[in-house]
Amino acid sequence: MKAAVPSLDETVPGARPRRILVVALGGIGDVLTAEPAVRALRGADGVERLGLLARGFAEALLEPQRPRERLFAYDSRPYHGARGKVRLVRDLTRDRYDLALCLWPSSSLKCVLIPVLARIRARFIHRYRSGRGRLVAPLLACRVPYDAQAHRVERNLSLLASAGFGEAAAVSPRPRLVLTLGERLAAGARLDEMGRDARRPLVAVHPGSTSSREGMKKRWPPDAYVRLIDDLTAETGAQVLIVAGPAERDEATAMARAVREPVLVLEGCVDLRVVAAVLAEAHLLVSNDSGVGHLAAAVGTPVVSLFGPTNPGEVRPFGDGAVVQSDLGCVPCTADLRSGPTRCEAPCMEAIEPAAVLTRVKPFLAPAAEPVAAGAQRRGT
């Protein structure tokens, strides 16, 4: 017989939770879609302590941390291995949290089991229709239904409301990353050293994604990016910046050599705040479904996102921009936490035409290109 999970009122009788642990063990995009929920809890009345169980990079994305906040970096050295996980549970227990909120997509067994072992009495998780977490969640946590058409940002805020923080959850749902003036100036200087032409719109291009098997299926072919860059520079006069992580250097170098006009390349940078500051200098980012797209949106840069197997309504960068998706009848083939067809080679990404992407890009560059065109006419060119 399935054990009944107590409600919030039963687990914390007569008192609103004051010590809250947020579980956000996903990637860069997942942490940024959790940012509005974390911000809402920071502003909630009566919250005495806020903990975040996430990977180490979350510290750069969720600053500034306030007094009585603590990041438990799941992948840090103190928490490696079996002994490290015992230490993690011990540290969480010492902080005496009374509520754990497992934000989307924290569905794996560890996301629910760690709060259980840390003696956190109230635990909330989405009512997943798939994923391994759905098999144990009914026994270990209060499951909250969600709107299948809603974005993950909205789902996380609805989870807060279900846990008794409805008023706090009424924040702006747009994820944001606040940069310092020094970071912005340093990014501008870096681009100038790389050869930025301040007279031209700057378009960033991110051709990568996570290197997992599923992540590789979300990549638009490199030759398609090359065609887009060539058409973009010829038709709009924009300057292009290729943004590539450490694992994408070879691909970025090959693309830079293949295009007709020289481009700027930011490669191998692992400091997410530096990358964010550079993206903030761009007029637009063209990107696959990746964390970099969410990073650009969080600093206010519009994003034209290329989608194939994943559902843009659920995971697109939450901000200004546009989505380009092929018209194949099988897209999207992943939903919630389900994997796509195991033998699929993502023809949906190959079916996206550069001309379709350029059509969606141009409206974002029109205001920036007007001063350049006017200057060219005055010079008689």
Side-chain angles (χ1 to χ4, degrees), residues 99-123:
L99 172 64
L101 298 172
C102 300
L103 300 187
W104 200 284
S106 296
S107 67
S108 62
L109 176 60
K110 64 189 175 187
C111 298
V112 185
L113 186 57
I114 290 176
V116 171
L117 296 175
R119 302 176 185 176
I120 302 176
R121 292 178 293 170
R123 302 171 296 275

Side-chain angles (χ1 to χ4, degrees), residues 324-346:
V324 183
Q325 195 171 28
S326 73
D327 56 2
L328 295 181
C330 58
V331 296
C333 65
T334 61
D336 295 340
L337 305 170
R338 297 191 295 272
S339 299
T342 56
R343 297 183 180 179
C344 178
E345 297 301 326

Side-chain angles (χ1 to χ4, degrees), residues 35-44 153 157 160 165-174 176 318:
E35 188 275 335
V38 173
R39 179 167 21 102
L41 290 171
R42 283 173 171 164
V153 169
L157 290 173
L160 263 65
F165 291 92
E167 182 177 345
V171 298
S172 169
R174 183 167 179 165
R176 65 190 189 196
F318 203 95

Side-chain angles (χ1 to χ4, degrees), residues 134-377:
R134 69 183 175 89
L135 301 176
V136 296
L139 300 174
L140 302 177
C142 299
R143 294 193 304 161
V144 176
Y146 62 90
D147 181 358
Q149 304 302 317
H151 194 279
R152 289 182 177 181
V153 169
E154 298 165 328
R155 295 178 189 177
N156 287 333
L157 290 173
S158 69
L159 188 71
L160 263 65
S162 298
F165 291 92
E167 182 177 345
V171 298
S172 169
R174 183 167 179 165
R176 65 190 189 196
L177 175 60
V178 179
L179 299 168
T180 66
L181 177 60
E183 288 171 328
R184 294 295 300 265
L185 292 175
R190 183 168 187 161
L191 286 169
D192 291 340
E193 292 174 359
M194 294 168 63
R196 174 175 60 173
D197 186 345
R199 300 169 299 174
R200 303 166 63 187
L202 181 65
V203 177
V205 169
H206 176 59
S209 65
T210 58
S211 58
S212 66
R213 183 175 177 275
E214 291 298 324
M216 296 299 290
K217 293 180 181 179
K218 299 189 293 183
R219 295 191 180 190
W220 201 34
D223 62 326
Y225 270 111
V226 170
R227 289 167 56 195
L228 172 67
I229 292 172
D230 284 341
D231 294 343
L232 180 64
T233 54
E235 296 188 27
T236 70
Q239 187 175 31
V240 172
L241 166 71
I242 298 176
V243 179
E248 301 155 356
R249 292 189 183 199
D250 293 342
E251 184 177 347
T253 300
M255 286 177 56
R257 290 174 177 171
V259 296
R260 289 195 294 264
E261 185 175 325
V263 296
L264 310 181
V265 180
L266 177 68
E267 61 176 5
C269 184
V270 296
D271 189 325
L272 294 179
R273 294 189 67 85
V274 171
V275 176
V278 170
L279 291 172
E281 294 291 304
H283 292 85
L284 178 74
L285 169 70
V286 179
S287 173
N288 303 323
D289 174 18
S290 70
V292 171
H294 292 273
L295 199 62
V299 295
T301 299
V303 184
V304 172
S305 305
L306 313 182
F307 272 82
T310 46
N311 181 8
E314 178 187 355
V315 297
R316 74 185 187 283
F318 203 95
D320 297 330
V323 169
V324 183
Q325 195 171 28
S326 73
D327 56 2
L328 295 181
C330 58
V331 296
C333 65
T334 61
D336 295 340
L337 305 170
R338 297 191 295 272
S339 299
T342 56
R343 297 183 180 179
C344 178
E345 297 301 326
C348 52
M349 295 302 294
E350 297 178 358
I352 297 176
E353 291 292 335
V357 180
L358 185 60
T359 298
R360 304 307 298 272
V361 166
K362 284 182 176 179
F364 293 97
L365 298 183
E370 288 174 359
V372 178
Q377 291 178 353

Side-chain angles (χ1 to χ4, degrees), residues 19-82:
R19 296 174 175 244
I20 303 171
L21 177 70
V22 174
V23 182
L25 284 173
I28 294 172
D30 299 316
V31 170
L32 286 170
T33 55
E35 188 275 335
V38 173
R39 179 167 21 102
L41 290 171
R42 283 173 171 164
D45 292 335
V47 175
E48 296 179 352
R49 182 181 293 276
L50 182 61
L52 178 67
L53 177 59
R55 304 189 187 280
F57 63 77
E59 183 175 7
L61 302 180
L62 299 178
E63 287 185 337
Q65 292 189 25
R66 301 182 182 182
R68 304 188 70 80
E69 287 188 19
R70 182 175 179 183
L71 171 67
F72 297 89
Y74 183 84
D75 54 351
S76 63
R77 185 177 297 275
Y79 298 145
H80 282 176

